[in-house]
Every structure is written in C-alpha cells, then in structure tokens.
C-alpha cells in the first residue's frame, strides 16, 4: 500500500515537472479581446492590422503615440520618452515574452492607453494593435 502511494506521488511530480507553466499565447489574448469586442459592439467585424498600425503610430489628441516610446518599428528596442528606460521589442515574433500574461497585458494597455488617449483603450483598439504586432515578422 505504501509503495503504491509512493509511485503515485512520483507520477504526479513527474507530470508537474513536465508540464510547462500555464501561459497565454498572443492568440489567446487576442481571442479574449474578440469576446470583449463582440460584447462592446454587436456588429464587430474583426480586427485589422492596418488599423492597428495607424493607431500605434499616430497621436490621438496628446503628444504621444505608442511609437513615441516603442518606435515605429515594433521589432526594435524602444526607449521610454521620459525615463529613457529601454523597452524590449513589442512584436511577439522577436520577443517571445510579449503578450503571454493577461494580467501584464491588461496592466500595460491600461497605463499606456491612459498616456496616449487619456482613457482606457477599447477592446477593438487593443485587438487591432495586437493584430498588427502579431503580423510583424
């Protein structure tokens, strides 16, 4: 009996060790934005990379755009406009850690949208930007 419990414990540990940490993928995050966008706008037709690129590179009533700190090339390093802190590339193709933690994604969209828009981004805006960033290879 004790031997059986021992081997069951070993098996459980082996499974836990072999299972990678549960992390979202950029597509998982985008799928969540899709659900939100359909709730916000019943006529939602999908995200658009070109619309995301325009949003990313243009200002929206303030002096800053996303590209102000992240550069117009999201595959390159950026630098915060005030602190000069280096910012890792935004494109998931060159930075595998991007858009793999929903909590971080929500935190940074909230903070950065506030800087750029003086409000939170809509799900459509977030989805368009993420679609654009995912298209960069």
């Amino acid at each position: 009996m004790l031997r059986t419990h021992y081997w069951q414990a070993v098996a459980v540990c082996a499974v836990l060790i072999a299972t990678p940490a549960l992390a979202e993928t950029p597509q998982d995050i985008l799928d969540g934005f899709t659900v939100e966008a359909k709730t916000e706008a019943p006529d939602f037709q999908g995200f658009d990379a070109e619309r995301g690129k325009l949003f990313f590179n243009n200002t929206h009533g303030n002096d800053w755009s996303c590209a102000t700190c992240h550069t117009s090339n999201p595959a390159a390093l950026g630098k915060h406009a005030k602190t000069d802190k280096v910012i890792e590339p935004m494109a998931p193709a060159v930075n595998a850690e991007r858009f793999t933690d929903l909590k971080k994604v929500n935190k940074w969209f909230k903070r950065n949208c506030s800087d750029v828009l003086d409000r939170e981004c809509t799900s459509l805006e977030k989805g368009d930007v993420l679609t654009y960033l995912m298209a960069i290879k």
Side-chain angles (χ1 to χ4, degrees), residues 66-131:
C66 303
T68 301
C69 298
H70 296 289
T71 80
S72 59
N73 176 7
L77 289 172
K79 184 169 69 169
H80 192 277
K82 285 187 181 177
T83 66
D84 287 337
K85 179 182 174 188
V86 172
I87 302 170
E88 294 298 318
M90 293 299 296
V94 297
N95 183 352
E97 293 181 24
R98 282 290 184 218
F99 304 102
T100 59
D101 182 329
L102 182 59
K103 188 174 179 180
K104 283 184 182 180
V105 170
N106 286 331
K107 168 190 167 183
W108 286 107
F109 263 122
K110 183 175 182 176
R111 183 176 295 176
N112 292 335
C113 290
S114 179
D115 288 341
V116 171
L117 300 170
D118 283 333
R119 64 171 172 80
E120 289 190 38
C121 287
T122 66
S123 297
L124 180 64
E125 291 163 337
K126 292 186 281 188
D128 285 346
V129 168
L130 181 51
T131 298

Side-chain angles (χ1 to χ4, degrees), residues 30-45:
L30 189 63
D31 291 345
F33 291 155
T34 300
V35 171
E36 291 174 13
K38 287 179 180 178
T39 301
E40 292 174 0
D43 61 339
F44 173 71
Q45 298 293 313

Side-chain angles (χ1 to χ4, degrees), residues 53-76:
K53 180 179 181 179
L54 289 171
F55 184 93
F56 191 89
N57 288 299
N58 292 325
T59 59
H60 304 272
N62 288 333
D63 294 336
W64 288 11
S65 68
C66 303
T68 301
C69 298
H70 296 289
T71 80
S72 59
N73 176 7

